[in-house]
Amino acid sequence: NDFKNNGNILNIIDLGAIPDGITDNTENFNKIINSGGLYFIPEGNFYISGTLFSSRSTKFIGENKKSLITFGSSVYITLNSGILDFDGITFNSFPGINGISPNQTCSIYIRNCDIYGNNEQPMITNVYNILIENVNMYRYSFFFNLTENVYMNNVYVLSYTSYNYNRITGSSIND
């Protein structure tokens, strides 16, 4: 099991996150991500204004898409190693993702999520394994660069014009 805290699911509110859509939760999310483990994001709007740095396997489980994460502009997620897994969450925008590990240990999973944007197309770069499954993207798409093993299944892009794929290997994209 890549996820620590002995399989216990911890509520991010109990760890200091505030779901009011205004309070900046960047510091709390960085502490959570760098502790690793399994975390529940309850209903509410969690605002993140700064870059997230992930170095441990962390899974966030939302409350049937009633859990909203709102990212500020120019926010990135930097993956050093491990898996960053989002399941059952609604996103107001989604940041670019940079993998910085030279040994192909960075993975991102986005499952059972909705992503709302304003015709944004952030880049996912140097990430070894990408799983995007059962995701609805509204006015939103991803740009993949220097990535491997991209798997997309049941992904719906509504009101967007195109995908860009640049140097993807070992990939499969299904409807």
Side-chain angles (χ1 to χ4, degrees), residues 48-112:
I48 297 173
S49 71
T51 297
L52 299 178
F53 299 94
S54 176
S55 61
R56 314 245 349 235
S57 291
T58 306
K59 181 172 185 170
F60 292 104
I61 301 170
E63 190 172 336
N64 298 317
K65 298 184 187 177
K66 295 177 185 174
S67 310
L68 175 66
I69 296 177
T70 299
F71 288 101
S73 61
S74 301
V75 173
Y76 277 87
I77 295 174
T78 299
L79 299 174
N80 187 30
S81 63
I83 301 165
L84 187 55
D85 187 346
F86 297 102
D87 192 344
I89 299 168
T90 297
F91 294 95
N92 186 4
S93 188
F94 197 88
I97 301 168
N98 295 319
I100 61 171
S101 177
N103 57 358
Q104 301 177 332
T105 60
C106 302
S107 300
I108 182 97
Y109 303 159
I110 305 167
R111 299 181 281 195
N112 308 307

Side-chain angles (χ1 to χ4, degrees), residues 114-161:
D114 289 340
I115 301 173
Y116 291 86
N118 189 16
N119 290 327
E120 295 144 303
Q121 192 174 43
M123 186 178 301
I124 298 178
T125 302
N126 292 325
V127 177
Y128 186 67
N129 291 304
I130 301 168
L131 170 65
I132 303 173
E133 186 171 50
N134 301 320
V135 172
N136 297 309
M137 292 189 271
Y138 303 93
R139 297 173 313 282
Y140 192 86
S141 181
F142 285 112
F143 179 91
F144 300 97
N145 185 46
L146 303 172
T147 57
E148 295 187 37
N149 303 317
V150 176
Y151 177 75
M152 297 174 75
N153 187 39
N154 294 323
V155 175
Y156 297 95
V157 180
L158 305 168
S159 300
Y160 198 83
T161 56

